[in-house]
Each structure stands twice: as structure tokens, then as C-alpha cells.
């Protein structure tokens, strides 16, 4: 049975700690965003701004960096986001 060198062991621990931290952040954000009254996995742009306490420019910057927005097929100015997409984006962009 071969043993790992100290650098490999340290690196493995740091990676594991980072994964645990990111998962905890994800779960906290998901809990904040998941309202039991919501029936759909989507949240409106206005709700995102209000619940996360961010401004429109921040959300626009997130979209420019890969956050997917969803618009209904009918003619409307409403914009929605998948709650899971938002949570993942916030955690991974950190």
C-alpha cells in the first residue's frame, strides 16, 4: 500500500474543504431563494433583485458572465431565472 506524499495530502484536504464550503453556500442560498409558496422552479427578475438585495446592473453583469435568463414565448417584458441556476452561479462565481 503506497502512502501519499504530504503535498498531495494537503492539496486533497484543501480541495475537500473548498467543496464543502461551496456546497454549504449553495444550500444557504437555495434555502433563502426557495419559498415554499412557489410552485415553479423559476423566479422573476424583480423577485431576484428584492430577495438578494442586488441592483439591476449586478444582474446584468451576471447575465453577461453566463447566467441564463428565460422569457415566456408570448409578448412580454417579464424575465425569469431558474432558482437552481441562480444558486449555482452565485456560489461558483464567488
Amino acid at each position: 500500500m503506497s502512502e501519499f506524499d504530504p503535498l498531495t495530502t494537503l492539496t486533497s484536504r484543501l480541495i475537500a474543504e473548498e467543496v464543502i464550503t461551496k456546497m454549504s453556500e449553495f444550500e444557504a442560498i437555495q434555502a433563502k431563494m426557495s419559498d415554499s409558496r412557489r410552485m415553479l422552479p423559476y423566479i422573476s427578475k424583480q423577485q431576484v433583485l428584492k430577495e438578494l438585495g442586488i441592483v439591476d446592473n449586478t444582474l446584468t453583469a451576471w447575465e453577461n458572465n453566463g447566467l441564463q435568463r428565460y422569457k415566456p414565448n408570448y409578448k412580454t417584458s417579464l424575465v425569469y431565472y431558474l432558482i437552481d441556476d441562480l444558486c449555482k452561479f452565485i456560489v461558483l462565481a464567488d
Side-chain angles (χ1 to χ4, degrees), residues 5-39:
D5 64 88
L7 182 57
T8 302
T9 302
L10 177 62
T11 303
S12 298
R13 281 192 189 139
L14 292 174
I15 291 170
E17 287 175 8
E18 184 68 19
V19 168
I20 291 168
T21 300
K22 293 293 184 185
M23 286 303 297
S24 295
E25 290 174 12
F26 175 79
E27 289 172 356
I29 292 168
Q30 193 171 37
K32 180 178 180 178
M33 298 291 298
S34 296
D35 184 344
S36 61
R37 296 171 292 182
R38 282 197 187 104
M39 299 300 283

Side-chain angles (χ1 to χ4, degrees), residues 33 43-50 52-69 79-81 86 89-90:
M33 298 291 298
I43 184 171
S44 73
K45 181 177 184 175
Q46 293 305 316
Q47 288 174 305
V48 171
L49 297 175
K50 180 181 175 186
L52 293 179
I54 60 174
V55 295
D56 194 41
N57 288 342
T58 301
L59 204 48
T60 300
W62 290 357
E63 288 177 10
N64 292 337
N65 285 297
L67 179 63
Q68 180 71 41
R69 71 168 26 197
V79 173
Y80 295 92
Y81 301 91
L86 276 165
F89 186 83
I90 293 167

